[in-house]
């Protein structure tokens, strides 16, 4: 399968712990996006990369959130000192950055903070 | 803050009817517009893209764009129960990211 893959699919953690999610995009895609989605809401933009460069980060994103894409391939999203409000589905998407701008989404990583 | 507004619904239509979904956006500089479909418990998938004013048809789906009114719509003809999902309007931002609305939940009744 050459789609976008995310790991882990589910994560349950206690408040105050750090968590890290990994995203492997479609191999030929140079753009990678992170979104957060809660029940009944649309995906909320967090950040995106073109190759290894982080081009934009949402102003709503707390300093507890950090994302990397060190070699322009896979990406990690780390949340430090998790809070209950961080509970959500974290979606990764990739695109070729050409033409249509279609984003291909992974299945998401669901975070539950107790 | 750039915004994309949608009526959250639910929108309920009988099977075979036309479903009409609407979206407005705040950034006049937006150039690309998309409709994504999201089934419950699944990730969004692209169903339509539109870049210029007017209509674009693809099978049972028609996207309509009016940049002067900052308005995008999606028509689904001959609606089927399998079309029941949340439809997300998305608009490109100035930095190349994609901004989503909250989505409209569509229910097609047999």
């Amino acid at each position: 399968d050459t789609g976008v893959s995310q790991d882990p699919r589910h994560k349950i953690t206690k408040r105050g712990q750090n968590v890290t999610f990994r995203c492997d995009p479609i191999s030929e895609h140079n753009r990678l996006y992170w979104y957060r989605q809660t029940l009944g809401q649309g995906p909320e933009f967090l950040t995106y990369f073109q190759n290894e460069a982080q081009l934009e980060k949402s102003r709503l994103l707390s300093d507890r959130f950090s994302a990397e894409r060190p070699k322009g391939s896979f990406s990690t999203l780390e949340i430090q000192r998790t809070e209950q409000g961080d509970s959500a589905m974290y979606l990764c998407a990739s695109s070729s950055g050409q033409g249509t701008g279609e984003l291909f989404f992974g299945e998401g990583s669901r975070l539950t903070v107790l | 803050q750039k915004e994309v507004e949608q009526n959250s619904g639910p929108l309920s239509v009988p099977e075979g009817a036309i479903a009409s979904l609407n979206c407005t956006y705040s950034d006049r500089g937006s150039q690309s517009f998309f409709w994504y479909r999201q089934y419950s418990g699944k990730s969004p998938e692209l169903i339509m893209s539109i870049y210029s004013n007017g209509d674009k048809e693809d099978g049972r789906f028609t996207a309509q764009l009016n940049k002067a009114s900052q308005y995008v719509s999606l028509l689904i003809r001959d609606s089927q129960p399998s079309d029941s999902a949340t439809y997300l309007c998305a608009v490109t931002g100035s930095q190349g990211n994609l901004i989503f609305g909250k989505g409209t939940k569509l229910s097609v009744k047999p």
Side-chain angles (χ1 to χ4, degrees):
Chain A
D1 183 21
T2 58
V4 178
S5 63
Q6 294 188 242
D7 183 71
R9 294 291 307 280
H10 303 274
K11 179 71 176 178
I12 300 173
T13 191
K14 293 182 179 179
R15 188 175 53 188
Q17 299 295 305
N18 299 343
V19 297
T20 299
F21 301 114
R22 175 179 169 126
C23 172
D24 287 89
I26 293 171
S27 59
E28 62 267 27
H29 284 181
N30 59 10
R31 289 192 177 184
L32 186 148
Y33 302 75
W34 285 101
Y35 287 85
R36 174 173 62 191
Q37 188 173 29
T38 54
L39 193 63
Q41 302 295 313
E44 176 192 11
F45 171 75
L46 297 179
T47 188
Y48 95 101
F49 295 83
Q50 178 150 323
N51 300 314
E52 65 275 10
Q54 188 172 18
L55 294 189
E56 189 176 3
K57 184 176 178 180
S58 171
R59 285 173 291 176
L60 301 176
L61 202 59
S62 160
D63 289 344
R64 297 183 296 104
F65 287 71
S66 62
E68 294 184 339
R69 193 183 184 197
K71 297 183 179 180
S73 56
F74 72 92
S75 175
T76 58
L77 175 69
E78 181 183 19
I79 308 173
Q80 296 181 326
R81 305 181 302 283
T82 53
E83 301 172 357
Q84 288 186 325
D86 296 331
S87 296
M89 178 71 83
Y90 289 84
L91 293 167
C92 176
S94 69
S95 77
S96 65
Q98 305 291 330
T100 67
E102 177 179 2
L103 267 59
F104 294 83
F105 283 86
E107 293 298 317
S109 293
R110 180 169 296 284
L111 173 65
T112 301
V113 182
L114 302 176
Chain B
Q1 177 73 7
K2 300 178 181 64
E3 293 184 346
V4 178
E5 300 286 343
Q6 294 182 255
N7 186 331
S8 61
L11 173 66
S12 184
V13 301
E15 184 175 356
I18 296 175
S20 177
L21 305 163
N22 304 313
C23 169
T24 59
Y25 59 95
S26 63
D27 183 4
R28 284 196 172 274
S30 297
Q31 296 294 317
S32 304
F33 308 87
F34 306 89
W35 285 98
Y36 281 76
R37 177 176 62 201
Q38 187 172 27
Y39 291 113
S40 180
K42 300 294 185 182
S43 294
E45 56 178 343
L46 181 71
I47 53 171
M48 288 288 286
S49 58
I50 187 166
Y51 308 100
S52 55
N53 282 329
D55 295 0
K56 178 181 178 182
E57 186 174 321
D58 184 1
R60 296 186 295 113
F61 298 95
T62 299
Q64 300 174 318
L65 174 61
N66 183 327
K67 289 185 178 180
S69 300
Q70 295 175 244
Y71 177 87
V72 194
S73 66
L74 179 70
L75 300 177
I76 305 174
R77 292 182 298 281
D78 188 24
S79 296
Q80 301 297 310
S82 59
D83 295 326
S84 298
T86 296
Y87 289 80
L88 300 162
C89 176
V91 175
T92 50
S94 57
Q95 300 296 320
N97 61 328
L98 201 59
I99 302 166
F100 285 86
K102 292 184 178 182
T104 298
K105 187 172 183 179
L106 172 67
S107 177
V108 181
K109 304 295 186 184

